[in-house]
Amino acid sequence: MRYTAGFKYHKYRRKHLHTRQVPSAKPTDNYRIAMKQESSSPSRPMLDAISIDCVIFSLNKGQLEVLLVKHAEGISKGNWGLPGGWIYRDESIDDAAYRLLKDLSGLENVYLEQLRAFGDVKRFPGERVVTVAYCALIRAEDYPVVAGFTASDVKWQAVAERGSLIYDHDAIVDFGVDYLKAKIKRAPIGFNLLSEKFTLLQLQELYEGILGIKLDKPNFRRKMMKMNLLVDCNEKQTGVPHRAAQLYRFDAEVYQRLTKDGFVFEV
């Protein structure tokens, strides 16, 4: 059993930005007019004051990246932000998160974990909107992305080089990074980003990339091996220009069993 996409063991089931229409608007309600163009059937209305935003992380050459979409319409046209949008009145917030992520970026079969709600009074221009953020940690190469619906483009962007995002999306990303750093220290979510067979150096570089720090090599290896979660594959790397390193795999079944017995994963 491999550690699949998301922040816990879960093999999940499986494009809308902030654009929908209100029945009528005063001349001063320019933001409502711009942001709530019709994006659905009139028979399926959307909620007025709550939205969804998804923070999807991956790792590329030791750099933590986040998935961004470019708005194609509305007051944020041409600007980058997180995949997200409005919720239908007849759908759950979880279903809305999966729908929006797929419609805007093409991503599906990704396990999403609810992060928290963001409700600063001035977070959304012109009106009061609370957004519920979801997050996931995935291997980008396993999930092709394609822009759709009200997104004109989609890309993976290094978190440290993302520039300024729309609304309060920078704060959401920052919170997601802090949550990810805390989570990876107490749960084996990092293995999701590795091949089934990996070296100890690759594992260490993964943790360093997410935590943003340099780890002591002997101590890291000693701690990992002591937890008895790594299985020696009795194989070594092939086709590498340097000395071939030993390959290991993560034993998910052992982790599940140990967790039931009170085992605590800690890096």
Side-chain angles (χ1 to χ4, degrees), residues 179-233:
Y179 178 81
L180 179 59
K181 288 180 178 180
K183 186 84 172 182
I184 200 172
K185 290 181 180 180
R186 64 179 190 272
I189 61 173
F191 293 96
N192 174 55
L193 301 182
L194 296 171
S195 300
E196 185 174 358
K197 299 177 183 180
F198 52 86
T199 68
L200 292 178
L201 179 59
Q202 290 170 338
L203 180 60
Q204 180 175 335
E205 289 175 341
L206 181 150
Y207 273 83
E208 290 176 339
I210 293 177
L211 294 174
I213 59 175
K214 192 71 176 178
L215 298 171
D216 180 75
K217 184 176 180 180
N219 287 340
F220 177 82
R221 295 190 174 198
R222 190 181 307 115
K223 183 174 291 187
M224 281 294 175
M225 298 305 295
K226 188 177 180 180
M227 287 188 283
N228 296 318
L229 297 176
L230 302 183
V231 178
D232 191 333
C233 298

Side-chain angles (χ1 to χ4, degrees), residues 56-67 137-138 140-141 156-162 177 180 193 205-212:
I56 313 299
F57 293 112
S58 188
L59 203 66
N60 180 27
K61 298 179 180 179
Q63 274 196 316
L64 187 63
E65 296 186 331
V66 64
L67 185 69
L137 177 64
I138 67 173
E141 55 265 42
W156 287 101
Q157 180 66 52
V159 170
E161 302 171 1
R162 68 184 185 273
V177 170
L180 179 59
L193 301 182
E205 289 175 341
L206 181 150
Y207 273 83
E208 290 176 339
I210 293 177
L211 294 174

Side-chain angles (χ1 to χ4, degrees), residues 16-18 52-54 69 82-86 100-101 104 150 169:
H16 303 280
L17 292 176
H18 301 80
I52 296 290
D53 285 299
C54 299
V69 294
L82 299 172
W86 305 103
L100 290 162
L101 183 60
L104 288 168
T150 54
H169 288 192

